[in-house]
Amino acid sequence: MTTAPVRTDTLDLIGNTPIVLLSGPSEAAGCEIWGKCEFANPGASVKDRAALYIVRDAEARGELKAGGTVVEGTAGNTGIGIALVANALGYKTVIVMPDNQSREKMDTLRALGAELVTVPPTKFADPNHFVHTSRRIAEETDNAIWANQFDNVANRRAHIEGTAPEIWAQLEGRVDGFTCAVGTGGTLAGVGMGLKAQDENVRIALTDPHGAALFNYYANGELKSEGSSVAEGIGQGRITANLEDAPIDTQFRISDEEGMDWVARLLREEGLCLGLSSGINVAGAVALGRQLVAEGREDARVATILCDSGFRYLSTLYNAEWLKKKGLPVFDWLGSS
Ligand code: PMP
């Protein structure tokens, strides 16, 4: 019997997540597909890692002092991570979020004690974009830092030093491929760099949703988007500082419908309730697995990220009305009402 970890500090509950072999995806790919269970973090998403690293980095640089405030613009999960970390360390939290994100995330942020500011979704070039609004609030607040997750590379360091070595150790030093989608790029770039440091032959793939510009960028050098996606937390239109020098070998583009297929199968066949970015990641991992198998590597091992829990999307991804409104297929067990 192995003993579950014992911790003496609640912040040590962040990271060191389990990894699980996904049976349906492995069968579909013809090789092993592993999912890193980031929904098992205290804030129920991969972003707890970045939140902790960003706050610790600001403390170490002397920018965040006792009683200070952490301000951030976020699709939600980073805000939840920051609110928990800030509570544990005695800081206040102000979160700016586009108002088209799930109700659950907004309710969660308020419940955790964060001050929530919502703004209409708009282009990055607009000064009222949630990212710029959060920077302005940080500048106007006493003893505050702007977490700046997109361009603060403390974000990807969480994955270089945490997620990547964990995956490497959990899979006993045999990883052939890794892929995930990009929001800030912290996870893909950080895990990519961390795994390449162990073995430069690990194939690192971008899995891009529709509506994001990175697939075209890595395929042919042009930042250009096509289509759209309802997936929250992913889909990037520029090369963030976290993405600079990311060791990306290949890329896949995955539709919401394909991602939803895996969300449905993982829930109904394997008992995992996940958000859409996880489904898109698994679809990408299956594509990467198939690519490796087609090259004769039937024993390939591919890892991806199960980013957050589906419980965060009961009013969206798991709601028949909402899915119909978005023109997406309704999961058959939800019925039509
Ligand atoms: N999935 C979800 C649900 C997220 O909230 C995020 C973070 N924006 C990501 C994936 C992408 O992670 P990263 O910011 O590290 O690219």
Side-chain angles (χ1 to χ4, degrees), residues 46-47 77 159 181-187 232-234 277 307-308 313:
V46 65
K47 299 304 303 207
N77 280 331
H159 301 285
V182 163
T184 63
T187 312
E232 294 185 24
I234 58 173
S277 69
C307 315
D308 69 354
Y313 306 99

Side-chain angles (χ1 to χ4, degrees), residues 45-47 50 74-78 105 149-150 155 159 180-189 231-235 243 275-278 281 305-309 312-313:
S45 94
V46 65
K47 299 304 303 207
T74 155
N77 280 331
T78 305
K105 286 184 189 158
Q149 58 169 331
F150 291 92
N155 170 358
H159 301 285
C180 69
V182 163
T184 63
T187 312
L188 181 64
E232 294 185 24
I234 58 173
L243 277 174
L276 183 51
S277 69
S278 302
N281 281 354
I305 303 288
L306 307 179
C307 315
D308 69 354
S309 162
R312 200 147 274 171
Y313 306 99

Side-chain angles (χ1 to χ4, degrees), residues 27-104:
E27 200 178 304
C31 68
E32 290 178 14
I33 306 292
W34 292 82
K36 185 82 167 135
C37 299
E38 293 304 299
F39 56 82
N41 282 300
S45 94
V46 65
K47 299 304 303 207
D48 285 13
R49 295 178 185 265
L52 180 60
Y53 262 67
I54 287 170
V55 170
R56 288 297 197 202
D57 178 69
E59 286 178 330
R61 288 193 286 116
E63 288 174 9
L64 184 58
K65 298 179 198 74
T69 302
V70 185
V71 186
E72 182 58 323
T74 155
N77 280 331
T78 305
I80 291 167
I82 288 175
L84 293 175
V85 170
N87 285 353
L89 295 170
Y91 303 118
K92 297 186 273 295
T93 308
V94 178
I95 297 301
V96 185
M97 205 172 146
D99 62 17
N100 62 346
Q101 302 299 294
S102 84
R103 256 296 295 281
E104 286 84 340

